[in-house]
Amino acid sequence: MSSHRAHTRSDYLFFLSYRTRWIDNDQYSHVNNSIYYHLFDSVVNTFLIQRCGLTPDSAQIGLVVSSHCQFFSPLSFPQVLDLGLRVVKLGSSSVTYEIAVFEEGKDTPAAVGGYTHVFVERGSRKSSPMTDLLREGLSSLLSTNESLESKL
């Protein structure tokens, strides 16, 4: 995990832009640590919806089973952030994402974190192998494909 500081934009394959809000700041005038997990959720779910066919009523859903974040430099309103996403591990029913939070225009991350999703059947909550469309989309984040852009 200590090598995360050395990552750059080129290590990530999908990006989502985020304009910080006044409410994102805490009493110390920087983005509160809890907001980073909202950012992680936003970039991951944007990718799953846009590139993997996931919908709010999909039969299969992802449950977070672990998460982490490492902070390197503070961010605050009114900065614009770029959220970089990649997949670091892809199993038959689980995926581990890594997300880097960049200040717009900067090449090194202010924070790097991520989480692991286990995909389950919506009703039973039992683990199930990923659908082909989901697996294909997530696999694209393991490669060196051209960067994909989106806006939040």
Side-chain angles (χ1 to χ4, degrees), residues 11 15 18 24-25 30 51 67 74 111 113 118 121 126 131 133 139:
D11 294 316
F15 287 87
Y18 177 79
D24 293 335
N25 281 3
H30 60 73
R51 307 290 178 178
S67 63
V118 172
E121 296 172 9
K126 290 187 179 182
T131 65
L133 182 59
S139 293

Side-chain angles (χ1 to χ4, degrees), residues 3 8 16 21-22 26 29 51 54 75-76 83 88 101 104-105 111-112 115 125 138 147 151:
S3 65
T8 64
L16 182 68
R21 306 162 306 158
W22 178 258
D26 61 18
S29 298
R51 307 290 178 178
L54 210 66
L75 298 167
S76 69
L83 313 175
V88 294
V101 180
E104 185 179 50
V112 175
Y115 60 85
R125 297 292 204 256
L138 291 170
S147 177
K151 298 282 183 190

Side-chain angles (χ1 to χ4, degrees), residues 45-141:
N45 283 296
T46 297
F47 184 83
L48 292 174
I49 291 165
Q50 290 182 354
R51 307 290 178 178
C52 300
L54 210 66
T55 64
D57 60 349
S58 292
Q60 190 174 54
I61 60 172
L63 300 179
V64 175
V65 296
S66 69
S67 63
H68 70 278
C69 188
Q70 201 172 14
F71 304 96
F72 306 120
S73 60
L75 298 167
S76 69
F77 174 82
Q79 290 175 309
V80 175
L81 310 178
D82 293 323
L83 313 175
L85 175 64
R86 69 180 182 171
V87 167
V88 294
K89 185 176 179 186
L90 186 61
S92 62
S93 63
S94 67
V95 59
T96 300
Y97 310 98
E98 183 179 283
I99 300 104
V101 180
F102 298 93
E103 180 182 347
E104 185 179 50
K106 301 278 174 111
D107 197 45
T108 56
V112 175
Y115 60 85
T116 299
H117 257 160
V118 172
F119 289 92
V120 300
E121 296 172 9
R122 177 183 294 278
S124 70
R125 297 292 204 256
K126 290 187 179 182
S127 177
S128 63
M130 289 178 220
T131 65
D132 291 341
L133 182 59
L134 178 58
R135 182 169 203 61
E136 182 180 316
L138 291 170
S139 293
S140 73
L141 290 182

Side-chain angles (χ1 to χ4, degrees), residues 29-42:
S29 298
H30 60 73
V31 172
N32 186 273
N33 59 16
S34 66
I35 299 301
Y36 288 83
Y37 289 93
H38 292 277
L39 300 176
F40 297 170
D41 196 53
S42 293

